[in-house]
Structure formats: C-alpha cells, structure tokens
Amino acid sequence: MTTGSITPLTLSAVQYAASDGGVAANVPEHIRLIEDAESHGARLVIFPELSLTGYRLDLLEGPGDWLSAADGRLDGIREICRRTGITAVVGAAFKEDDGTPRLASLAIHPAGSVEPSFKTRLHGAEQELFVAGSQPAVLEVDGWKVALALCFDAAHPGHAEWAAQAGADVYAVSALYTAGEDHRLGLHLGARAMDNRMFSVLANLGGATPLGPSCGLSGFWGPEGLPHGQAAGTGTEVLTASLQYSLLERYRQP
C-alpha cells in the first residue's frame, strides 16, 4: 500500500470521568461520547482503562460488573458503532469463554464483533483479580494499524517495540495517570512514539479515582515525540485529531 492510498485517520481520545454505579451507569455516557466524537468525524474512539466502571476494583469482587464478548449490556455501544461506522475501544473487566479474568480494552467494531486486548503488565491489587495477557491486539482501521496498550504497559519499552514490529502506526494507551504523574506521562507517550516512529494516543481516566485525582493530559504525540494536543482540564473531554500518514513516512525514512 502506498502512502497516497492511506487516508488520514480521524481519531478521538476520550478523557472520561466515570460515573458511580458500574457498567449500567456508564454505558449511556459512552454512547453519548461516541456520538460527540462522530460529530467531529472520528473513525476510531479510544476510552480509558476500566472506563465502564472507573478504577473501582472493589466493584469486581462480585460477578456483576464483569463483561463477556456476548454481554447484552454492550448492545447499545454495538448499535452506535454500527450506525456511525466507528470502532470504539472501551475499558472493562472481562471474562474469557473459559472464565479467565482479564483487565481488557474491548474494540467494538461496526459489524458488532468484540476484539479484546489484555493488559500485560499488571501491578498492585490488579494481580489478585486478573491474569496478564501476552501481547496487545493490533486493530486495522481505514488502512492504519493501531496497537492497544493499557496503562503500565506503556511504561515498558518492549511492549511498544512489539507493537511496532507488528506494523503498528498508532500506539493507543488507555490509562489512569494521577496528579503528580504529569512528567512520567509525557515521557512514556513521547518516548514510545519517538523510539518506534509511530503516533501515540492517550485516553486517561478523568476526575477523582480511588488512586487519587487524575492529572488529565489525554492527547496525541507525533513520531518525533512531541505532543500534538492535550486535554485542557482533568474532567471528561473529547479530543479529536486527524493523523497524517505522510508524517510517519517522513520519520520512517532510512
């Protein structure tokens, strides 16, 4: 595929302050925010880590807020993706068919299929609830390859290196970075982009969380490692950018 045949990818990163009440309370807001992103021309929408519950590991002690690929609670998101042609990546606690518990990003495609990607670098109390994955999913959207990462994955260069070797053009990170982690956030997203000559995107949980208040700063970084736009505050915000493949080509020249 030549550069000229790859159109720009319009992508929205949703910085999201999750509502109390688990999956049932957050699905309607996800639908509303996907509609907002669609009004800005988005073809791909990235939500933060555990966006459907917030970072509330206590909610996961029972079965109620775990999801499966066929879960009817995702039907509203499936429908808005079908209607708009958008692929939406939402954050959830996920049970595989064999019952394996995962901390997941779920890519919901316009055709209704659910493509999961699992966090590979669990930490803290996550290790008691989830089983780590081995490698990220790589989505294909409008000729672009988009690798999915979850929070602490982005702190490990090898995760993004694997994604780049798999052909990723975009490294999409769903995360929770809290107040005081501004510098760490910028280093992670900038370095993953620059070292691997790809775009990086961050959707950070917003608002107050059990780990502390969000530092915000969701946004986009180019293959030169510089930010191309970030959230203005720490609450819910939809940030949209049109990523140009020609910029990747410029930095990928030998």
Side-chain angles (χ1 to χ4, degrees):
M1 186 178 291
T2 64
T3 301
S5 65
I6 301 179
T7 60
L9 176 64
T10 302
L11 182 158
S12 289
V14 178
Q15 183 169 284
Y16 181 58
S19 301
D20 290 335
V23 172
N26 285 287
V27 164
E29 276 299 288
H30 279 59
I31 294 169
R32 182 184 70 80
L33 292 163
I34 292 167
E35 289 177 329
D36 186 321
E38 192 269 340
S39 73
H40 293 92
R43 298 280 295 152
L44 175 65
V45 180
I46 308 294
F47 284 88
E49 181 178 36
L50 291 175
S51 62
L52 286 171
T53 56
Y55 197 89
R56 290 286 306 279
L57 301 187
D58 58 305
L59 294 178
L60 306 178
E61 294 171 358
D65 285 290
W66 292 82
L67 293 175
S68 64
D71 199 302
R73 289 173 293 180
L74 294 173
D75 286 352
I77 299 176
R78 287 190 181 93
E79 173 57 24
I80 192 65
C81 290
R82 183 201 64 78
R83 182 163 62 81
T84 61
I86 284 172
T87 295
V89 177
V90 303
F94 182 79
K95 290 282 183 72
E96 294 196 77
D97 291 343
D98 64 2
T100 303
R102 304 289 195 178
L103 206 170
S105 286
L106 306 178
I108 302 174
H109 295 284
S113 61
V114 176
E115 185 175 357
S117 186
F118 306 134
K119 191 171 186 176
T120 69
R121 300 285 183 167
L122 301 172
H123 63 94
E126 295 170 1
Q127 298 172 86
E128 301 171 11
L129 285 169
F130 304 105
V131 175
S134 58
Q135 60 195 36
V138 180
L139 313 179
E140 295 199 20
V141 180
D142 293 350
W144 292 68
K145 291 188 175 182
V146 181
L148 303 182
L150 279 151
C151 204
F152 203 45
D153 290 341
H156 296 268
H159 191 270
E161 288 169 5
W162 185 94
Q165 290 167 6
D169 304 305
V170 180
Y171 188 62
V173 182
S174 300
L176 169 56
Y177 286 91
T178 56
E181 294 189 300
D182 313 44
H183 184 60
R184 180 171 177 264
L185 178 162
L187 288 175
H188 288 168
L189 275 294
R192 301 298 87 85
M194 182 176 67
D195 290 349
N196 298 287
R197 297 312 192 197
M198 55 188 177
F199 290 99
S200 64
V201 178
L202 171 66
N204 196 18
L205 272 173
T209 82
L211 296 184
S214 170
C215 68
L217 298 176
S218 299
F220 307 90
W221 286 255
E224 76 293 347
L226 298 176
H228 287 203
Q230 292 182 271
T234 60
T236 296
E237 188 173 343
V238 177
L239 300 103
T240 303
S242 182
L243 308 184
Q244 305 292 321
Y245 201 84
S246 59
L247 184 61
L248 290 183
E249 287 288 288
R250 186 188 313 165
Y251 282 92
R252 288 175 173 178
Q253 293 298 323

